Amino acid sequence: MKFNLLIEIMKVLIADDDKVLRMLMERQLQGWGFEVITAQDGEEAFKILTTESEPPRMLILDWEMPNLDGIGLCRKIRALESNDPPYIVLVTAHSDQEHLATALQAGANDYISKPTKAVELRARLGVGLRTLELQNRLNIANEMLAYKAEHDELTGLQNRASLIEHLDNEIERTKRTGEPLALAICDIDFFKRVNDTYGHPVGDRVLKEFAERMKDTFRPYDLVSRYGGEEFVVCCTSLESEPESIFERFRGAIESTPFLDKDLSLGITVSIGIATFDGISTMATKEIMLGLISDSDKALYAAKNSGRNQVVMYQPNQHTECEQPEEMLNDGQIC
Ligand SMILES: [Mg+2]
């Protein structure tokens, strides 16, 4: 996960132009277990925050500093619009309400008067830690939701919605660059038999291993997705060889290596239909996408009709009259 809880939070930045006060607070915070980074003005503090790979997320900023003061620094930090913003405590000799309002409006989370009292500073840092921890939990939850929205739960591959979104970009790119793309639908043959004979848990493990083999076979920048059931879609760009030979290698590898599950050894085969796009089209991207999916589907039906366990490239004049093989009717129930 991108967000760690306490490790990053325990790092605190103290920005104060008064060297003595800075050192006193540094020792105090170190005594409480914080890792402390110091800066002598706002500019130095801003540089630390924007260049460190893991910048401190708890900031104690003096109001009055040369070059860039605490208020100016607060505004600059908040202008960054991070989804993981730091917690800012502003320290100042001004204790009137107007200054307090100015500090909060500039983006400070809290405000503490000089001279700072240890007991108060520690309590306010405690509030800051709790706030940052809640913020982290929220970020983690959001990341998990975003991940779940784009991925298939069983295999961890991209799901259909995510494929459609990314395919849109790939087609746009091919229209721009003329670099061809290949879209392939890979459908495990007789998958229903696996479920019916050995049960769904075994079927699920076959799907997971099939997905793992896809991840190992295709390149990180190829789109590999579970389209539904035992149907997987791959979109390859920057083709290093003919798409037919790329998918023929994959088909052969699936056939030649049995799927092992405890004491079971299952011979699995896959049928693959491929359609390509060379970037030359006046149609809208959505139409091109639907056309590619439909054409690769027709090629897949042809592969199933011709005995399965084979790769078929879509040919415009050959697949218009293809009939759906019986196994693919009835919600993809292969028998
Ligand atoms: Mg000062």
Side-chain angles (χ1 to χ4, degrees):
M1 274 293 171
K2 185 179 157 196
F3 299 99
N4 296 317
L5 290 182
L6 290 173
I7 295 168
E8 288 171 56
I9 293 171
M10 296 298 274
K11 205 189 285 182
V12 179
L13 173 73
I14 300 170
D16 198 318
D17 59 322
D18 187 320
K19 192 178 175 188
V20 176
L21 287 180
R22 203 168 62 225
M23 283 175 63
L24 279 173
M25 196 181 278
E26 181 180 11
R27 277 197 210 137
Q28 204 164 37
L29 264 66
Q30 282 169 339
W32 295 336
F34 290 100
E35 181 190 338
V36 181
I37 298 174
T38 59
Q40 58 188 1
D41 59 38
E43 274 185 4
E44 192 189 352
F46 191 72
K47 196 173 168 198
I48 290 168
L49 292 170
T50 49
T51 55
E52 289 249 332
S53 59
E54 286 185 7
R57 299 181 54 223
M58 176 79 83
L59 317 181
I60 304 174
L61 310 180
D62 184 25
W63 185 310
E64 308 281 352
M65 289 188 287
N67 301 322
L68 180 62
D69 65 12
I71 289 290
L73 179 55
C74 261
R75 293 197 179 109
K76 277 187 87 166
I77 292 166
R78 294 312 184 210
L80 295 174
E81 291 184 2
S82 161
N83 65 350
D84 196 23
Y87 188 89
I88 304 176
V89 179
L90 209 68
V91 184
T92 177
H94 309 292
S95 55
D96 57 281
Q97 291 184 333
E98 230 163 80
H99 278 88
L100 171 66
T102 305
L104 297 178
Q105 280 162 7
N109 296 89
D110 202 359
Y111 180 98
I112 187 165
S113 301
K114 276 184 180 176
T116 54
K117 307 264 187 320
V119 65
E120 183 184 358
L121 180 62
R122 196 167 181 179
R124 289 186 186 275
L125 290 180
V127 174
L129 285 179
R130 287 202 297 278
T131 306
L132 286 173
E133 191 151 334
L134 285 172
Q135 183 177 296
N136 272 1
R137 288 183 192 284
L138 188 65
N139 282 335
I140 290 168
N142 283 340
E143 279 211 338
M144 284 171 71
L145 281 176
Y147 182 87
K148 280 187 177 180
E150 290 188 348
H151 292 82
D152 170 55
E153 199 174 352
L154 178 71
T155 62
L157 294 180
Q158 287 183 6
N159 60 21
R160 184 195 290 232
S162 175
L163 168 80
I164 300 292
E165 192 185 322
H166 287 92
L167 201 50
D168 209 78
N169 297 336
E170 293 299 338
I171 291 169
E172 285 288 341
R173 199 166 70 96
T174 293
K175 277 165 106 176
R176 254 190 344 264
T177 62
E179 204 176 82
L181 68 77
L183 184 91
I185 303 184
C186 310
D187 189 290
I188 301 174
D189 295 323
F190 300 113
F191 184 71
K192 190 172 180 294
R193 278 188 197 164
V194 176
N195 277 336
D196 288 349
T197 312
Y198 305 104
H200 285 272
V202 173
D204 283 353
R205 286 196 282 278
V206 168
L207 290 172
K208 277 166 98 164
E209 191 179 330
F210 189 85
E212 283 305 316
R213 292 195 194 179
M214 292 190 102
K215 279 188 237 172
D216 291 343
T217 304
F218 297 101
R219 303 158 303 178
Y221 49 88
D222 293 328
L223 295 177
V224 181
S225 66
R226 185 175 177 207
Y227 202 61
E230 65 278 10
E231 237 178 26
F232 297 80
V233 170
V234 186
C235 174
C236 299
T237 51
S238 307
L239 299 165
E240 285 149 10
S241 51
E242 288 301 313
E244 202 165 0
S245 62
I246 295 171
F247 286 95
E248 180 53 35
R249 274 200 302 277
F250 175 62
R251 185 210 58 76
I254 291 295
E255 182 185 23
S256 61
T257 312
F259 284 57
L260 303 174
D261 187 74
K262 292 173 190 153
D263 49 353
L264 277 178
S265 174
L266 301 172
I268 297 287
T269 62
V270 59
S271 298
I272 302 173
I274 309 171
T276 56
F277 176 56
D278 59 7
I280 303 165
S281 175
T282 53
M283 286 196 296
T285 301
K286 230 19 156 213
E287 281 179 67
I288 296 168
M289 184 179 0
L290 292 176
L292 273 170
I293 293 171
S294 163
D295 291 347
S296 51
D297 222 20
K298 286 174 190 158
L300 172 65
Y301 291 156
K304 293 279 184 188
N305 273 329
S306 311
R308 302 176 182 83
N309 188 25
Q310 55 194 283
V311 178
V312 173
M313 288 287 290
Y314 173 75
Q315 306 291 342
N317 301 321
Q318 286 178 11
H319 297 120
T320 47
E321 299 303 324
C322 263
E323 282 179 18
Q324 289 191 358
E326 203 176 314
E327 65 169 70
M328 297 193 69
L329 298 171
N330 196 15
D331 296 321
Q333 294 289 293
I334 295 184
C335 45

